[in-house]
Amino acid sequence: MEVPAGGLLAVHGAAGSGRTSLLLALGGRMRLSGGAVRVGGYVLPGEGRRVRRAVAVARAAPAVALEGRLRVREVMAERCLTSPGVRERGIRAAFERLEFAPGEAELVEELGAVEGVLLAVALALAERPGALVVDDVDDGLPPEVQGRVWQALDRVRDEGPTVLAGCLRPPPPGPGVITLLLPQRSRDRLPAGAAGSAGSAGTAVSPGSAGKPASSASPLGREDAAI
């Protein structure tokens, strides 16, 4: 499977099918049980540290999730303190790009389902990654509002990172959209040793430019991420 730079991979399937594990593996956050993944010029499992620097995880609960008891302005400040290179103006630019204006005094847990996804994406986007992971895109969203989230993710990848998304149902087909259906597998049918790891039979992800010049020496430039 190959995901081009600026593409959108939608991994979909029922709960328990391994969506989150696969996305974390593609981002270098979960050990592979076999196979290999190439992210731009880097190959997993050998270059996990470099892949982790190239890929931002917006959310992949329970491993990565925003603290619901904090206010929006507090998670913004926290991200500026904990993520090198992230500034408040970068987060606000991400809000504009997503056409999203959260109430900064609101608690994260009081945001609507759409706003919760967009806040997580904006905070990760401010890191200027080459690829961005966001799980549970349509979790808790009625069908009539799911389009807003997918449209926002389209705007993300149009001028920035490749998007790796997890969802129950795939988005509408379109240019650069790749869907991958994962079958339901119960724990007692998983291969021995699969717990805590994810297998891959050869996956290539080209990170997008994330606002950086394609001619940059960084492997995040689209032209430099040849596969």
Side-chain angles (χ1 to χ4, degrees), residues 74-101:
E74 292 172 334
V75 296
M76 292 170 62
E78 179 185 58
R79 189 61 56 96
C80 292
L81 290 172
T82 58
S83 296
V86 174
R87 300 289 182 269
E88 182 178 327
R89 64 177 179 273
I91 297 175
R92 295 190 184 282
F95 288 161
E96 292 181 8
R97 191 165 168 186
L98 295 170
E99 299 182 3
F100 170 53

PDB file of all heavy atoms in Angstrom, residues 74-101:
ATOM      1  N   GLU A  74      -5.848  26.736  27.963  1.00  0.00           N
ATOM      2  CA  GLU A  74      -4.832  26.026  28.740  1.00  0.00           C
ATOM      3  C   GLU A  74      -4.147  24.941  27.924  1.00  0.00           C
ATOM      4  O   GLU A  74      -2.928  24.747  28.038  1.00  0.00           O
ATOM      5  CB  GLU A  74      -5.465  25.433  30.000  1.00  0.00           C
ATOM      6  CG  GLU A  74      -5.919  26.499  30.991  1.00  0.00           C
ATOM      7  CD  GLU A  74      -6.730  25.939  32.149  1.00  0.00           C
ATOM      8  OE1 GLU A  74      -7.369  24.867  31.976  1.00  0.00           O
ATOM      9  OE2 GLU A  74      -6.744  26.574  33.225  1.00  0.00           O
ATOM     10  N   VAL A  75      -4.905  24.226  27.086  1.00  0.00           N
ATOM     11  CA  VAL A  75      -4.249  23.215  26.252  1.00  0.00           C
ATOM     12  C   VAL A  75      -3.403  23.893  25.168  1.00  0.00           C
ATOM     13  O   VAL A  75      -2.374  23.344  24.744  1.00  0.00           O
ATOM     14  CB  VAL A  75      -5.260  22.233  25.620  1.00  0.00           C
ATOM     15  CG1 VAL A  75      -5.968  21.420  26.687  1.00  0.00           C
ATOM     16  CG2 VAL A  75      -6.267  22.921  24.722  1.00  0.00           C
ATOM     17  N   MET A  76      -3.811  25.080  24.730  1.00  0.00           N
ATOM     18  CA  MET A  76      -2.981  25.837  23.793  1.00  0.00           C
ATOM     19  C   MET A  76      -1.651  26.209  24.439  1.00  0.00           C
ATOM     20  O   MET A  76      -0.574  26.020  23.853  1.00  0.00           O
ATOM     21  CB  MET A  76      -3.721  27.091  23.322  1.00  0.00           C
ATOM     22  CG  MET A  76      -4.934  26.820  22.447  1.00  0.00           C
ATOM     23  SD  MET A  76      -5.947  28.314  22.167  1.00  0.00           S
ATOM     24  CE  MET A  76      -4.783  29.387  21.305  1.00  0.00           C
ATOM     25  N   ALA A  77      -1.719  26.737  25.664  1.00  0.00           N
ATOM     26  CA  ALA A  77      -0.503  27.132  26.372  1.00  0.00           C
ATOM     27  C   ALA A  77       0.373  25.918  26.659  1.00  0.00           C
ATOM     28  O   ALA A  77       1.605  25.976  26.534  1.00  0.00           O
ATOM     29  CB  ALA A  77      -0.868  27.847  27.666  1.00  0.00           C
ATOM     30  N   GLU A  78      -0.249  24.825  27.030  1.00  0.00           N
ATOM     31  CA  GLU A  78       0.498  23.604  27.317  1.00  0.00           C
ATOM     32  C   GLU A  78       1.245  23.118  26.076  1.00  0.00           C
ATOM     33  O   GLU A  78       2.412  22.724  26.159  1.00  0.00           O
ATOM     34  CB  GLU A  78      -0.456  22.507  27.810  1.00  0.00           C
ATOM     35  CG  GLU A  78       0.214  21.183  28.113  1.00  0.00           C
ATOM     36  CD  GLU A  78      -0.793  20.117  28.476  1.00  0.00           C
ATOM     37  OE1 GLU A  78      -1.701  19.849  27.640  1.00  0.00           O
ATOM     38  OE2 GLU A  78      -0.685  19.540  29.572  1.00  0.00           O
ATOM     39  N   ARG A  79       0.588  23.154  24.924  1.00  0.00           N
ATOM     40  CA  ARG A  79       1.232  22.694  23.688  1.00  0.00           C
ATOM     41  C   ARG A  79       2.425  23.586  23.336  1.00  0.00           C
ATOM     42  O   ARG A  79       3.450  23.097  22.856  1.00  0.00           O
ATOM     43  CB  ARG A  79       0.217  22.657  22.547  1.00  0.00           C
ATOM     44  CG  ARG A  79       0.731  21.994  21.269  1.00  0.00           C
ATOM     45  CD  ARG A  79       1.122  20.532  21.514  1.00  0.00           C
ATOM     46  NE  ARG A  79       0.038  19.752  22.077  1.00  0.00           N
ATOM     47  CZ  ARG A  79      -0.789  19.009  21.352  1.00  0.00           C
ATOM     48  NH1 ARG A  79      -0.636  18.961  20.035  1.00  0.00           N
ATOM     49  NH2 ARG A  79      -1.744  18.307  21.936  1.00  0.00           N
ATOM     50  N   CYS A  80       2.296  24.867  23.568  1.00  0.00           N
ATOM     51  CA  CYS A  80       3.420  25.778  23.298  1.00  0.00           C
ATOM     52  C   CYS A  80       4.611  25.475  24.194  1.00  0.00           C
ATOM     53  O   CYS A  80       5.769  25.644  23.789  1.00  0.00           O
ATOM     54  CB  CYS A  80       2.986  27.228  23.490  1.00  0.00           C
ATOM     55  SG  CYS A  80       1.780  27.824  22.267  1.00  0.00           S
ATOM     56  N   LEU A  81       4.351  25.026  25.417  1.00  0.00           N
ATOM     57  CA  LEU A  81       5.424  24.724  26.354  1.00  0.00           C
ATOM     58  C   LEU A  81       6.071  23.367  26.095  1.00  0.00           C
ATOM     59  O   LEU A  81       7.272  23.192  26.335  1.00  0.00           O
ATOM     60  CB  LEU A  81       4.884  24.750  27.793  1.00  0.00           C
ATOM     61  CG  LEU A  81       4.498  26.120  28.357  1.00  0.00           C
ATOM     62  CD1 LEU A  81       3.810  25.955  29.704  1.00  0.00           C
ATOM     63  CD2 LEU A  81       5.725  27.002  28.499  1.00  0.00           C
ATOM     64  N   THR A  82       5.289  22.407  25.595  1.00  0.00           N
ATOM     65  CA  THR A  82       5.785  21.030  25.501  1.00  0.00           C
ATOM     66  C   THR A  82       6.242  20.624  24.109  1.00  0.00           C
ATOM     67  O   THR A  82       6.941  19.622  23.974  1.00  0.00           O
ATOM     68  CB  THR A  82       4.698  20.040  25.971  1.00  0.00           C
ATOM     69  OG1 THR A  82       3.516  20.200  25.169  1.00  0.00           O
ATOM     70  CG2 THR A  82       4.343  20.283  27.431  1.00  0.00           C
ATOM     71  N   SER A  83       5.862  21.365  23.078  1.00  0.00           N
ATOM     72  CA  SER A  83       6.229  20.988  21.708  1.00  0.00           C
ATOM     73  C   SER A  83       7.159  22.038  21.124  1.00  0.00           C
ATOM     74  O   SER A  83       6.746  23.187  20.903  1.00  0.00           O
ATOM     75  CB  SER A  83       4.977  20.851  20.833  1.00  0.00           C
ATOM     76  OG  SER A  83       4.146  19.804  21.301  1.00  0.00           O
ATOM     77  N   PRO A  84       8.413  21.688  20.873  1.00  0.00           N
ATOM     78  CA  PRO A  84       9.363  22.662  20.325  1.00  0.00           C
ATOM     79  C   PRO A  84       8.864  23.263  19.012  1.00  0.00           C
ATOM     80  O   PRO A  84       8.370  22.557  18.134  1.00  0.00           O
ATOM     81  CB  PRO A  84      10.627  21.821  20.091  1.00  0.00           C
ATOM     82  CG  PRO A  84      10.500  20.671  21.039  1.00  0.00           C
ATOM     83  CD  PRO A  84       9.033  20.370  21.106  1.00  0.00           C
ATOM     84  N   GLY A  85       8.976  24.563  18.902  1.00  0.00           N
ATOM     85  CA  GLY A  85       8.597  25.248  17.670  1.00  0.00           C
ATOM     86  C   GLY A  85       7.148  25.658  17.579  1.00  0.00           C
ATOM     87  O   GLY A  85       6.771  26.408  16.682  1.00  0.00           O
ATOM     88  N   VAL A  86       6.304  25.182  18.501  1.00  0.00           N
ATOM     89  CA  VAL A  86       4.892  25.554  18.472  1.00  0.00           C
ATOM     90  C   VAL A  86       4.707  26.888  19.175  1.00  0.00           C
ATOM     91  O   VAL A  86       5.179  27.083  20.298  1.00  0.00           O
ATOM     92  CB  VAL A  86       4.010  24.471  19.128  1.00  0.00           C
ATOM     93  CG1 VAL A  86       2.564  24.946  19.231  1.00  0.00           C
ATOM     94  CG2 VAL A  86       4.086  23.173  18.341  1.00  0.00           C
ATOM     95  N   ARG A  87       4.021  27.802  18.492  1.00  0.00           N
ATOM     96  CA  ARG A  87       3.724  29.113  19.054  1.00  0.00           C
ATOM     97  C   ARG A  87       2.213  29.343  18.972  1.00  0.00           C
ATOM     98  O   ARG A  87       1.510  28.741  18.161  1.00  0.00           O
ATOM     99  CB  ARG A  87       4.457  30.206  18.277  1.00  0.00           C
ATOM    100  CG  ARG A  87       5.974  30.070  18.290  1.00  0.00           C
ATOM    101  CD  ARG A  87       6.551  30.380  19.663  1.00  0.00           C
ATOM    102  NE  ARG A  87       8.008  30.301  19.671  1.00  0.00           N
ATOM    103  CZ  ARG A  87       8.696  29.202  19.966  1.00  0.00           C
ATOM    104  NH1 ARG A  87       8.052  28.073  20.266  1.00  0.00           N
ATOM    105  NH2 ARG A  87      10.018  29.210  19.964  1.00  0.00           N
ATOM    106  N   GLU A  88       1.745  30.268  19.801  1.00  0.00           N
ATOM    107  CA  GLU A  88       0.310  30.553  19.807  1.00  0.00           C
ATOM    108  C   GLU A  88      -0.169  31.012  18.440  1.00  0.00           C
ATOM    109  O   GLU A  88      -1.255  30.625  17.995  1.00  0.00           O
ATOM    110  CB  GLU A  88      -0.013  31.613  20.856  1.00  0.00           C
ATOM    111  CG  GLU A  88      -1.507  31.922  20.960  1.00  0.00           C
ATOM    112  CD  GLU A  88      -1.823  32.944  22.040  1.00  0.00           C
ATOM    113  OE1 GLU A  88      -1.118  32.961  23.066  1.00  0.00           O
ATOM    114  OE2 GLU A  88      -2.775  33.725  21.825  1.00  0.00           O
ATOM    115  N   ARG A  89       0.624  31.822  17.748  1.00  0.00           N
ATOM    116  CA  ARG A  89       0.201  32.280  16.424  1.00  0.00           C
ATOM    117  C   ARG A  89       0.068  31.113  15.445  1.00  0.00           C
ATOM    118  O   ARG A  89      -0.768  31.159  14.544  1.00  0.00           O
ATOM    119  CB  ARG A  89       1.172  33.326  15.884  1.00  0.00           C
ATOM    120  CG  ARG A  89       2.589  32.845  15.633  1.00  0.00           C
ATOM    121  CD  ARG A  89       3.433  33.959  15.027  1.00  0.00           C
ATOM    122  NE  ARG A  89       4.812  33.552  14.795  1.00  0.00           N
ATOM    123  CZ  ARG A  89       5.783  33.634  15.685  1.00  0.00           C
ATOM    124  NH1 ARG A  89       5.523  34.124  16.891  1.00  0.00           N
ATOM    125  NH2 ARG A  89       7.015  33.238  15.394  1.00  0.00           N
ATOM    126  N   GLY A  90       0.879  30.076  15.617  1.00  0.00           N
ATOM    127  CA  GLY A  90       0.771  28.904  14.757  1.00  0.00           C
ATOM    128  C   GLY A  90      -0.516  28.139  15.015  1.00  0.00           C
ATOM    129  O   GLY A  90      -1.147  27.629  14.079  1.00  0.00           O
ATOM    130  N   ILE A  91      -0.909  28.062  16.286  1.00  0.00           N
ATOM    131  CA  ILE A  91      -2.171  27.394  16.618  1.00  0.00           C
ATOM    132  C   ILE A  91      -3.349  28.188  16.058  1.00  0.00           C
ATOM    133  O   ILE A  91      -4.291  27.617  15.498  1.00  0.00           O
ATOM    134  CB  ILE A  91      -2.306  27.231  18.145  1.00  0.00           C
ATOM    135  CG1 ILE A  91      -1.188  26.317  18.683  1.00  0.00           C
ATOM    136  CG2 ILE A  91      -3.675  26.661  18.505  1.00  0.00           C
ATOM    137  CD1 ILE A  91      -1.157  26.198  20.195  1.00  0.00           C
ATOM    138  N   ARG A  92      -3.292  29.504  16.175  1.00  0.00           N
ATOM    139  CA  ARG A  92      -4.384  30.332  15.655  1.00  0.00           C
ATOM    140  C   ARG A  92      -4.446  30.258  14.123  1.00  0.00           C
ATOM    141  O   ARG A  92      -5.537  30.281  13.537  1.00  0.00           O
ATOM    142  CB  ARG A  92      -4.222  31.774  16.123  1.00  0.00           C
ATOM    143  CG  ARG A  92      -4.347  31.923  17.631  1.00  0.00           C
ATOM    144  CD  ARG A  92      -4.431  33.371  18.069  1.00  0.00           C
ATOM    145  NE  ARG A  92      -4.447  33.470  19.520  1.00  0.00           N
ATOM    146  CZ  ARG A  92      -5.526  33.240  20.275  1.00  0.00           C
ATOM    147  NH1 ARG A  92      -6.676  32.913  19.691  1.00  0.00           N
ATOM    148  NH2 ARG A  92      -5.472  33.338  21.591  1.00  0.00           N
ATOM    149  N   ALA A  93      -3.296  30.152  13.487  1.00  0.00           N
ATOM    150  CA  ALA A  93      -3.288  29.983  12.031  1.00  0.00           C
ATOM    151  C   ALA A  93      -3.937  28.649  11.656  1.00  0.00           C
ATOM    152  O   ALA A  93      -4.648  28.550  10.643  1.00  0.00           O
ATOM    153  CB  ALA A  93      -1.856  30.049  11.495  1.00  0.00           C
ATOM    154  N   ALA A  94      -3.706  27.624  12.475  1.00  0.00           N
ATOM    155  CA  ALA A  94      -4.336  26.323  12.223  1.00  0.00           C
ATOM    156  C   ALA A  94      -5.848  26.413  12.406  1.00  0.00           C
ATOM    157  O   ALA A  94      -6.610  25.805  11.651  1.00  0.00           O
ATOM    158  CB  ALA A  94      -3.742  25.275  13.157  1.00  0.00           C
ATOM    159  N   PHE A  95      -6.308  27.183  13.410  1.00  0.00           N
ATOM    160  CA  PHE A  95      -7.746  27.393  13.582  1.00  0.00           C
ATOM    161  C   PHE A  95      -8.344  27.996  12.314  1.00  0.00           C
ATOM    162  O   PHE A  95      -9.407  27.562  11.837  1.00  0.00           O
ATOM    163  CB  PHE A  95      -8.014  28.335  14.759  1.00  0.00           C
ATOM    164  CG  PHE A  95      -7.772  27.743  16.124  1.00  0.00           C
ATOM    165  CD1 PHE A  95      -7.603  28.574  17.228  1.00  0.00           C
ATOM    166  CD2 PHE A  95      -7.727  26.378  16.314  1.00  0.00           C
ATOM    167  CE1 PHE A  95      -7.397  28.051  18.491  1.00  0.00           C
ATOM    168  CE2 PHE A  95      -7.512  25.837  17.580  1.00  0.00           C
ATOM    169  CZ  PHE A  95      -7.344  26.679  18.670  1.00  0.00           C
ATOM    170  N   GLU A  96      -7.679  29.001  11.767  1.00  0.00           N
ATOM    171  CA  GLU A  96      -8.191  29.656  10.559  1.00  0.00           C
ATOM    172  C   GLU A  96      -8.232  28.686   9.387  1.00  0.00           C
ATOM    173  O   GLU A  96      -9.183  28.682   8.599  1.00  0.00           O
ATOM    174  CB  GLU A  96      -7.318  30.863  10.211  1.00  0.00           C
ATOM    175  CG  GLU A  96      -7.419  32.010  11.212  1.00  0.00           C
ATOM    176  CD  GLU A  96      -6.561  33.198  10.809  1.00  0.00           C
ATOM    177  OE1 GLU A  96      -6.020  33.183   9.677  1.00  0.00           O
ATOM    178  OE2 GLU A  96      -6.429  34.144  11.620  1.00  0.00           O
ATOM    179  N   ARG A  97      -7.199  27.886   9.284  1.00  0.00           N
ATOM    180  CA  ARG A  97      -7.141  26.927   8.180  1.00  0.00           C
ATOM    181  C   ARG A  97      -8.264  25.908   8.248  1.00  0.00           C
ATOM    182  O   ARG A  97      -8.800  25.474   7.238  1.00  0.00           O
ATOM    183  CB  ARG A  97      -5.790  26.218   8.241  1.00  0.00           C
ATOM    184  CG  ARG A  97      -5.447  25.377   7.037  1.00  0.00           C
ATOM    185  CD  ARG A  97      -3.976  25.088   7.124  1.00  0.00           C
ATOM    186  NE  ARG A  97      -3.563  24.080   6.205  1.00  0.00           N
ATOM    187  CZ  ARG A  97      -2.338  23.578   6.188  1.00  0.00           C
ATOM    188  NH1 ARG A  97      -1.438  23.998   7.046  1.00  0.00           N
ATOM    189  NH2 ARG A  97      -2.007  22.652   5.313  1.00  0.00           N
ATOM    190  N   LEU A  98      -8.640  25.556   9.483  1.00  0.00           N
ATOM    191  CA  LEU A  98      -9.717  24.587   9.676  1.00  0.00           C
ATOM    192  C   LEU A  98     -11.088  25.242   9.711  1.00  0.00           C
ATOM    193  O   LEU A  98     -12.091  24.558   9.849  1.00  0.00           O
ATOM    194  CB  LEU A  98      -9.486  23.827  10.986  1.00  0.00           C
ATOM    195  CG  LEU A  98      -8.239  22.942  11.045  1.00  0.00           C
ATOM    196  CD1 LEU A  98      -8.009  22.452  12.464  1.00  0.00           C
ATOM    197  CD2 LEU A  98      -8.363  21.767  10.086  1.00  0.00           C
ATOM    198  N   GLU A  99     -11.114  26.597   9.604  1.00  0.00           N
ATOM    199  CA  GLU A  99     -12.358  27.360   9.715  1.00  0.00           C
ATOM    200  C   GLU A  99     -13.066  27.028  11.022  1.00  0.00           C
ATOM    201  O   GLU A  99     -14.235  26.678  11.081  1.00  0.00           O
ATOM    202  CB  GLU A  99     -13.260  27.100   8.505  1.00  0.00           C
ATOM    203  CG  GLU A  99     -12.612  27.529   7.188  1.00  0.00           C
ATOM    204  CD  GLU A  99     -13.504  27.314   5.980  1.00  0.00           C
ATOM    205  OE1 GLU A  99     -14.672  26.886   6.160  1.00  0.00           O
ATOM    206  OE2 GLU A  99     -13.046  27.561   4.861  1.00  0.00           O
ATOM    207  N   PHE A 100     -12.304  27.209  12.105  1.00  0.00           N
ATOM    208  CA  PHE A 100     -12.710  26.767  13.427  1.00  0.00           C
ATOM    209  C   PHE A 100     -12.351  27.861  14.425  1.00  0.00           C
ATOM    210  O   PHE A 100     -11.231  28.366  14.432  1.00  0.00           O
ATOM    211  CB  PHE A 100     -11.961  25.463  13.740  1.00  0.00           C
ATOM    212  CG  PHE A 100     -12.065  24.975  15.159  1.00  0.00           C
ATOM    213  CD1 PHE A 100     -13.292  24.796  15.770  1.00  0.00           C
ATOM    214  CD2 PHE A 100     -10.913  24.649  15.867  1.00  0.00           C
ATOM    215  CE1 PHE A 100     -13.372  24.319  17.070  1.00  0.00           C
ATOM    216  CE2 PHE A 100     -10.989  24.167  17.171  1.00  0.00           C
ATOM    217  CZ  PHE A 100     -12.216  24.007  17.762  1.00  0.00           C
ATOM    218  N   ALA A 101     -13.308  28.271  15.254  1.00  0.00           N
ATOM    219  CA  ALA A 101     -13.063  29.333  16.231  1.00  0.00           C
ATOM    220  C   ALA A 101     -13.604  28.887  17.593  1.00  0.00           C
ATOM    221  O   ALA A 101     -14.740  29.195  17.967  1.00  0.00           O
ATOM    222  CB  ALA A 101     -13.731  30.633  15.795  1.00  0.00           C
TER     223      ALA A 101
END
